[in-house]
Amino acid sequence: MIDRFERNINNMRISITQQCNLDCFYCHHEGEKNEGAGVENGHLTPPEIEKITQIASQVGIQKLKITGGEPLLRKDIVEIVKRTAKHMKEVSMTTNGVLLKKYAGALNGAGLKRINISFDALDPTTFQRITNKEFFYEVKEGIESAICAGLYPVKLNMVILKGVNDKDIQVAMDYASEIGAVLQLIEFEGSKEESGNSIFKKHYLNLRDWENWLKSRSVEVRQRRMHRRNKYILPSENDGKAEVEIVRAMHNSEFCQNCTRLRVTSSGELKPCLLKNDNLINIIGPIRKGASDKELKDLFEYAILKKEPYWRA
Ligand code: SAM
């Protein structure tokens, strides 16, 4: 479906739990600030998640990304992937990787296509500093398991935090290219209010200079329609190539103008924008009350019409 800003809303990001086994100091929790509409009745169940996905497909959504919290904490994660994959062209996931070794093969078998793994630290000390946990080696094993299981592409999400991991970008590029993964450099993101807080002021780094550096060394640049994100292909050691994508959202009106995503919170609300919480539409209540497909589709259309760019020129 096309929204008021002529964007074709064709992808959805659903959070299936607020629980996480890491405690990253910079985390935006997918923009979830409150307990939400469905929380008193527990998690969205696999049939409810499937219903939401099925209705989403009726308004033109073709790609789904499963997120959290940490999605692999859900014991029914393989069933969730299997059910949603029936309705989407592509189902992917973003995970911190801690439990991935256990699940990579089964997720691939259930229909998961691609995977993003959070990878902010190149060593155990930095990992502990960022996540407050000691699972560095589990995550590395998880990354390798995803590659072995045939999930493709594997993207390593590295949120760049000034004074913490910005010195490790080149090492991360080398590691990603060595294992055949794409490195995604993500700018630390927050709302207008959050960008005034002390953590943000201390660790925010504008990635413009890194993007220029990549541009100057790349042999090829590809642009994704979503957010107009650029992917740079660079030569790497041993005649290989490194693929690096940049996600620069802060104060970026072009990024928002090209946002084609609708979100669903873990408590069952349609969420038009990561950084806004005053325009949520409860979808799980009507599902639990037996609303018809037509009524649910109307709610999706209403949510899509509420989408508006957060950062504007
Ligand atoms: N636990 C899963 C994971 O680690 O991928 C899913 C949830 S996590 C919120 C999803 C992604 O958002 C991760 O790659 C994380 O690094 C990124 N993220 C979290 N807070 C962020 C922030 N303030 N700015 C930019 N990216 C952020």
Side-chain angles (χ1 to χ4, degrees), residues 13 15 17 19-22 24-31 65-72 93-97 116-120 156-161 184 186-190 194 200 247 249-250 263 274:
R13 187 164 172 119
S15 173
T17 177
Q19 286 179 347
C20 193
N21 42 1
L22 299 183
C24 303
F25 73 79
Y26 66 81
C27 189
H28 55 36
H29 306 280
E30 301 287 351
K65 177 152 271 150
I66 299 173
T67 183
E70 173 45 40
L72 297 183
M93 178 183 291
T94 175
T95 168
N96 61 33
N116 291 49
I117 306 168
S118 293
F119 183 69
D120 302 323
L156 305 182
N157 281 3
M158 184 176 187
V159 177
I160 304 304
L161 302 158
Q184 187 155 249
I186 305 177
E187 207 170 66
F188 185 8
E189 188 179 2
E194 284 159 345
F200 203 87
V247 182
M250 286 302 285
R263 296 170 166 267
L274 169 72

Side-chain angles (χ1 to χ4, degrees), residues 18-147:
Q18 280 198 30
Q19 286 179 347
C20 193
N21 42 1
L22 299 183
D23 183 18
C24 303
F25 73 79
Y26 66 81
C27 189
H28 55 36
H29 306 280
E30 301 287 351
E32 289 194 37
K33 299 278 182 252
N34 55 26
E35 296 289 274
V39 116
E40 66 278 11
N41 295 319
H43 282 145
L44 302 179
T45 65
E48 287 168 349
I49 293 169
E50 180 177 357
K51 186 79 202 169
I52 291 171
T53 310
Q54 180 215 329
I55 302 296
S57 75
Q58 291 176 18
V59 294
I61 289 171
Q62 300 176 322
K63 293 184 181 181
L64 178 73
K65 177 152 271 150
I66 299 173
T67 183
E70 173 45 40
L72 297 183
L73 285 176
R74 290 270 312 239
K75 300 225 168 3
D76 47 11
I77 185 64
V78 175
E79 180 186 353
I80 291 170
V81 170
K82 205 177 268 176
R83 283 176 176 269
T84 52
K86 286 192 269 177
H87 305 282
M88 293 283 126
K89 258 193 183 159
E90 179 188 288
V91 176
S92 62
M93 178 183 291
T94 175
T95 168
N96 61 33
V98 175
L99 298 171
L100 193 52
K101 185 179 176 190
K102 175 174 168 198
Y103 282 114
L107 291 172
N108 192 28
L112 192 81
K113 289 270 163 10
R114 19 187 335 139
I115 196 155
N116 291 49
I117 306 168
S118 293
F119 183 69
D120 302 323
L122 276 297
D123 62 84
T125 310
T126 310
F127 186 90
Q128 218 272 345
R129 184 173 170 199
I130 295 174
T131 65
N132 285 301
K133 294 284 182 303
E134 294 183 345
F135 294 132
F136 177 75
Y137 294 103
E138 286 81 350
V139 173
K140 274 212 135 171
E141 281 184 346
I143 293 170
E144 280 145 31
S145 308
I147 304 247

